[in-house]
Amino acid sequence: MLGDRSFSDTAGGDPSGDTGHPGGTGGDRPGRRALILVENLSVPFDRRVWQECTTLRDAGWEVHVICPRGTKRDTEPEAEIDGVRIHRYPLRAATGGPAGYLREYGSALWHTARLARRVGPVDVVHACNPPDLLFLPALWLKRRGARFVFDQHDLVPELYLSRFDRGEDLLYRAVCALERRTYRAADVVLATNESYRDVAVRRGGRRPEDVFVVRSAPQTDRFRPVPPEPELKRGKPHLLCYLGVMGPQDGVDYALRALAKLRDELGRTDWHAVFVGSGDAHDAMVELSRELGLCDQVQFTGRIPDADLVRHLSTADVCLSPDPRNPLNDVSTMNKVLEYMAMGRPIVSFDLREARVSAGDAAVYAAANDESAFAKLIAVLLDDPRKRAEMGRIGQERISGRLSWRHSQAHLLAAYAAACRDRPPVSTAGPLRTGKRPHR
């Protein structure tokens, strides 16, 4: 599936995320119902969406979610978790190029419309991209009294350019048109950072007062350091760690080539590296590590339980954020950067606009896409434990302060309050009529 920046999963302008709008209650009237539509990940595995769900629940909303089933978790078709009602559908991820995505998205839209009828009337339909197709069931619900909140997790046109390297072809023009339709249909837009907010205003034609910055933030109760375990370093003095999705645009190949340069050009073999995560480029990255002769020093774990993840991050001396500069990455906030910061780890990143907004002095920045420069900065940090400790402290302070979820909670509730202003709650008498098909 496409995208994962704002988990896949973004930030810009004022690093505090406090531009835009004051906090609002969003739940100031009883009986409000929200329906959140997700296609890219299951819930509650999608951490951003789950934080939004629980924030709305705590503000008095009745929250429903429609999303795909997971493969190893979130597999039940129906679940109620902590008061949030989740409706899941079977979905096979796309393979084989554009035709595979058409099959995936067509199936997702059909299931979403089917389950939305079962949920019944709602005050707000909240659609999370990608893809930029969920405005179709959202329009159907708008005609029945709902307000449409568009939660833009990814810039899909930039994602298309960055992932497929096909240029501005017919499919690119099609995804641009779908983005325009989504912006036009929305009553309120949630942007994951100031860069995305600027796109919504400039390219999407949205009024600034209708675009709210709701940043992704790590769950600090999930990312708490524990005592390091030196045995994870496999006999080496240092541990390097990568956490995240492994897709074509995520730069794992850049990280591996940088590690080969760290060994070959700088003569450094005093490290062991762990790559945690999965994705459709995972197997290719394992093969690349073999080709580079890194098998003895690089370990791929796949997805691992939270406890094991925290053990590795707590032991890591340096964390890697190798996302190359491309049209998407330069304006997107990487969840792994925020998670590294929550764990108090120093970061090596390429010099991306939004990486600097998120990490500030918690990271050092190599010239964009320069693998040799990336390797040299790893070496610099390995030789300077005092600097590593200071960078880790800065990162934790930023996460607990200006980048914390509590700031985004206020903006989320303000967005909902704006969407529902002067509108009474919808009737919750029963399911929606099925006589009309979703708008297409």
Side-chain angles (χ1 to χ4, degrees), residues 303-348:
R303 289 177 177 161
I304 58 178
D306 282 358
D308 292 333
L309 170 61
V310 168
R311 289 170 54 231
H312 281 89
L313 290 177
S314 296
T315 306
D317 297 285
V318 174
C319 286
L320 310 178
S321 184
D323 307 85
R325 180 181 289 168
N326 58 38
L328 179 68
N329 289 347
D330 196 42
V331 294
S332 296
T333 301
M334 306 303 168
N335 285 299
K336 58 179 167 285
V337 169
L338 304 175
E339 289 156 2
Y340 296 156
M341 293 162 63
M343 292 293 295
R345 302 297 93 188
I347 304 161
V348 177

Side-chain angles (χ1 to χ4, degrees), residues 115-178:
L115 292 170
R117 290 188 178 101
R118 182 185 302 174
V119 170
V122 295
D123 296 277
V124 169
V125 55
H126 175 154
C128 308
N129 82 332
D132 286 339
L133 286 167
L134 294 177
F135 75 92
L136 294 169
L139 279 175
W140 181 71
L141 289 163
K142 279 192 71 171
R143 291 174 180 174
R144 286 147 182 85
R147 303 287 278 176
F148 176 25
V149 172
F150 173 40
D151 192 351
Q152 190 163 27
H153 291 191
D154 279 309
L155 300 176
V156 175
E158 283 80 358
L159 177 60
Y160 180 85
L161 292 174
S162 302
R163 185 179 178 97
F164 295 112
D165 196 26
R166 295 165 59 106
E168 296 183 4
D169 61 359
L170 179 63
L171 282 174
Y172 171 79
R173 294 194 292 273
V175 298
C176 289
L178 290 172

Side-chain angles (χ1 to χ4, degrees), residues 358-377:
S358 295
D361 291 336
V364 290
Y365 303 93
N369 306 356
D370 187 333
E371 295 155 359
S372 292
F374 198 94
K376 289 174 183 176
L377 288 177

